[in-house]
Amino acid sequence: MESTSKHHVAHPFWPRDLSIPNYVPNDRSMYEILTFLFSVSGVFLLATWEISGRENASGRLGVWRRLAVCWFAVCGFIHGVIEGWFSLYYEVIPADQSFLSQLWKEYSKGDSRYAIADNFTVCMETITAWLWGPFSFWAVYAFLTNKPYRFVLQLIISLGQLYGAVLYFYTEHRDGYAHSEMGHPIYFWFYFVFLNALWVIIPLVLIVDAWGQLSGAQALTDNARSHKSKRA
């Protein structure tokens, strides 16, 4: 019993008896970490908003379409850089003091599966980083240059994001929400629920949008073929 307590390292994660022997506390504050995350995301959003306001091959994009393009730009940053870091360094994050490792240690207060490199989170984040990160930037390019496959990309990315988010919530639900302090206003409701709910709500809206756009395009093609066969 004495040797166990000797090797126990205090940490802020749940459950409280979680063993993370190599954990090193952050020397960056929550304020610094969140300021970085939202500032860089804001730069991506504002830059994309500015660029998307210019004329493209089909004229100027509408407000809602520009917001969708901004979403994909921010997703590209978060998936490719933030989640990409986790996919590469998940084994050393608890002991590492690099800024992005500290970001993940801060987020782990809302979901300690990231601090212990849980199999599901490692697999999900790796797929998200290396597929949906590049695909999100590709979608930005596709909309800005009016590529005909842009709504196909929107549908694929949004389905992947929604599927990952649903599994993320459902696996934690089956674990009884053991990896966070249930009901905590910041760690549970903001980190775990709100931030991840964005990847349920927004992809759902974009899936419906892409469905309508692709269905409309197919209807036009079908009508054109029908008129052509009648004339023949």
Side-chain angles (χ1 to χ4, degrees):
M1 193 73 178
E2 194 177 322
S3 64
T4 305
S5 61
K6 256 183 197 174
H7 291 89
H8 179 74
V9 176
H11 59 71
F13 310 123
W14 287 72
R16 300 304 296 133
D17 59 356
L18 202 61
S19 176
I20 311 177
N22 59 339
Y23 172 72
V24 176
N26 282 354
D27 56 25
R28 300 277 189 171
S29 69
M30 178 180 72
Y31 174 78
E32 289 177 276
I33 291 168
L34 293 183
T35 298
F36 163 80
L37 177 63
F38 291 115
S39 296
V40 177
S41 297
V43 168
F44 271 89
L45 192 152
L46 290 173
T48 309
W49 178 263
E50 176 63 27
I51 294 167
S52 65
R54 300 170 187 169
E55 294 281 343
N56 66 11
S58 63
R60 200 175 294 276
L61 294 174
V63 171
W64 291 109
R65 191 60 58 209
R66 290 173 70 192
L67 287 173
V69 175
C70 290
W71 163 255
F72 284 123
V74 173
C75 284
F77 161 64
I78 291 175
H79 295 333
V81 178
I82 307 296
E83 291 167 293
W85 182 273
F86 177 82
S87 76
L88 293 172
Y89 301 110
Y90 60 87
E91 291 180 325
V92 301
I93 280 174
D96 188 43
Q97 292 296 77
S98 301
F99 191 90
L100 291 181
S101 291
Q102 292 198 48
L103 184 152
W104 279 110
K105 282 190 279 186
E106 176 63 28
Y107 177 76
S108 294
K109 294 173 185 177
D111 187 350
S112 64
R113 290 180 291 178
Y114 288 87
I116 59 173
D118 168 79
N119 277 336
F120 169 75
T121 54
V122 170
C123 294
M124 180 199 67
E125 294 293 0
T126 300
I127 292 168
T128 300
W130 298 101
L131 273 183
W132 309 140
F135 271 46
S136 293
F137 285 128
W138 187 12
V140 172
Y141 166 77
F143 276 101
L144 292 179
T145 54
N146 204 38
K147 297 297 181 188
Y149 54 77
R150 59 194 182 277
F151 287 105
V152 176
L153 274 178
Q154 177 174 307
L155 183 61
I156 292 170
I157 296 163
S158 300
L159 279 170
Q161 290 174 328
L162 178 62
Y163 183 63
V166 169
L167 286 179
Y168 177 75
F169 280 122
Y170 191 45
T171 50
E172 182 60 7
H173 172 72
R174 285 184 58 82
D175 283 339
Y177 301 100
H179 299 98
S180 183
E181 184 179 354
M182 187 77 160
H184 192 284
I186 295 174
Y187 304 142
F188 182 78
W189 287 112
F190 183 63
Y191 287 5
F192 177 70
V193 176
F194 174 74
L195 291 180
N196 291 289
L198 294 175
W199 274 272
V200 174
I201 297 165
I202 298 175
L204 261 177
V205 172
L206 292 175
I207 287 166
V208 172
D209 174 54
W211 179 288
Q213 295 285 345
L214 294 171
S215 297
Q218 187 62 53
L220 286 174
T221 302
D222 292 344
N223 287 336
R225 282 178 183 161
S226 174
H227 289 314
K228 191 175 178 181
S229 63
K230 280 178 184 174
R231 282 200 298 268

